[in-house]
Amino acid sequence: MGQNNHTSLHGFILLGFSDHPKLEMVLSGVVTLFYFITWVGNTAIILASLLDSHLHTPMYFFLRNLSFLDLCFTTSIIPQMLVNLWGPDKTISYVGCVTQLYVYMWLGSTECLLLAVMSYDRFTAICKPLHYLVIMNPHLCLKMIITVWSISLAVSVLLCTLTLNLPRCGNNLLDHFLCELPAMVKIACIDTTTVEMSVFALGIVIVLTPLGLILISYGYIAKAVLRIKSKEGQQKAINTCGSHLTVVSIFYGTIIYMYLQP
C-alpha cells in the first residue's frame, strides 16, 4: 500500500524516446508542425461549416463533430509529449496521467463509433438519396452523437478504472510517451490476464463491430455506385466517400495493429 501511495504522489516517468536524444529533437519539430496543421485544418472546417448556411447538412454536422474530436484527441496527447521531448524532465503527475488515460480512451472509442455513424450517413445519402433528409433529420443526428459520446464514456470509465485498480508495487516507469491503457497494465505486479481479456473483448466490440458496420455500408455503397450510369455521377459519389474511407483506413489500421494483438 505504501509503495502504491508513493507512486501516486510522485506520478509516472514516460520513457518514450529518451534512449534516442537526437531523435527527440527531430520528433519535437515534426510533431509541433503537424499539431499546428491539425489545429488550423480542423478549426477551419468547424468555422466554415458553422458560418456557411449551405453546409448545415447532416454530413457536415458529423464532420464538424469529427474535427472537434480530433482537436481534443491531439490536445490530450501532444502538449505533454512535447514537454517530454523538449527537455530532460520525463515525468507526468499522477492526476495528469489518470486524466490523460481516461480522456484518451474516451476520445479513441468515440472516434471508432463516430466513423461508423458517418458511414451510415454516407450509405443513406448514396443508396437512399430521395429519403436522405427525412431519415437523417436533425433530431436523429443529435441522438446519434449523444449516444456515441455516452457509450464511449462508459467504456472509458470501465476499462480505465479496472486498470488503475491494479497494484503497481511502486512501479512508475511507463515505456511510452503517454499514459495509455496497455502501458499501465504492463507495470502491474500481479497476473493481469483477467483485465487483459476484458480489454481485448471490449476492444473487439468497440473497434471491430463499428468496422464491420462500415464495411457493410461501403459494400452497399459500392453496389449503388456501380449502378449509376453516368461517369459524373459515379465520380461525385466517390468524392463524397473518398475522404471518409481514407480516414477509416488509416485510423482503423493503426488501432487494429496497436491494440488487437494477443
Side-chain angles (χ1 to χ4, degrees), residues 126 225 228 230-242:
I126 293 174
V225 170
I228 299 174
S230 69
K231 291 292 183 182
E232 184 181 346
Q234 288 184 343
Q235 189 62 45
K236 184 178 179 181
I238 292 171
N239 291 340
T240 301
C241 300

Side-chain angles (χ1 to χ4, degrees), residues 15 31 37 59 65 86 89 105 115 129 169 182 209 228 256:
L15 296 179
V31 170
I37 293 172
M59 182 179 79
N65 272 272
W86 282 339
D89 185 15
M105 177 59 69
L115 289 173
C169 303
T209 302
I228 299 174
I256 291 171

Side-chain angles (χ1 to χ4, degrees), residues 31-156:
V31 170
T32 302
L33 175 63
F34 278 97
Y35 185 46
F36 175 74
I37 293 172
T38 299
W39 258 95
V40 172
N42 284 298
T43 302
I45 290 172
I46 292 170
L47 291 176
S49 63
L50 284 173
L51 298 176
D52 190 343
S53 59
H54 294 96
L55 302 182
H56 292 176
T57 62
M59 182 179 79
Y60 284 97
F61 172 74
F62 293 124
L63 182 60
R64 188 161 62 244
N65 272 272
L66 183 63
S67 295
F68 173 72
L69 177 62
D70 284 341
L71 285 177
C72 296
F73 207 0
T74 52
T75 302
S76 72
I77 303 169
I78 301 303
Q80 179 64 48
M81 182 180 177
L82 288 177
V83 168
N84 294 140
L85 288 174
W86 282 339
D89 185 15
K90 308 299 180 185
T91 61
I92 182 173
S93 68
Y94 179 78
V95 173
C97 188
V98 170
T99 302
Q100 187 179 68
L101 180 68
Y102 277 95
V103 171
Y104 181 81
M105 177 59 69
W106 182 21
L107 298 178
S109 302
T110 301
E111 184 145 357
C112 288
L113 298 178
L114 181 57
L115 289 173
V117 168
M118 292 178 74
S119 72
Y120 176 72
D121 172 68
R122 295 299 80 211
F123 159 77
T124 309
I126 293 174
C127 298
K128 301 181 179 181
L130 298 179
H131 304 286
Y132 175 62
L133 293 178
V134 176
I135 296 172
M136 300 301 296
N137 59 78
H139 181 66
L140 177 63
C141 293
L142 184 59
K143 282 178 66 176
M144 288 173 124
I145 288 297
I146 292 173
T147 302
V148 162
W149 284 86
S150 300
I151 291 175
S152 302
L153 178 60
V155 169
S156 174

Side-chain angles (χ1 to χ4, degrees), residues 15-27:
L15 296 179
F17 305 98
S18 55
D19 291 339
H20 308 280
K22 292 184 179 179
L23 179 61
E24 283 188 324
M25 296 175 62
V26 175
L27 279 175

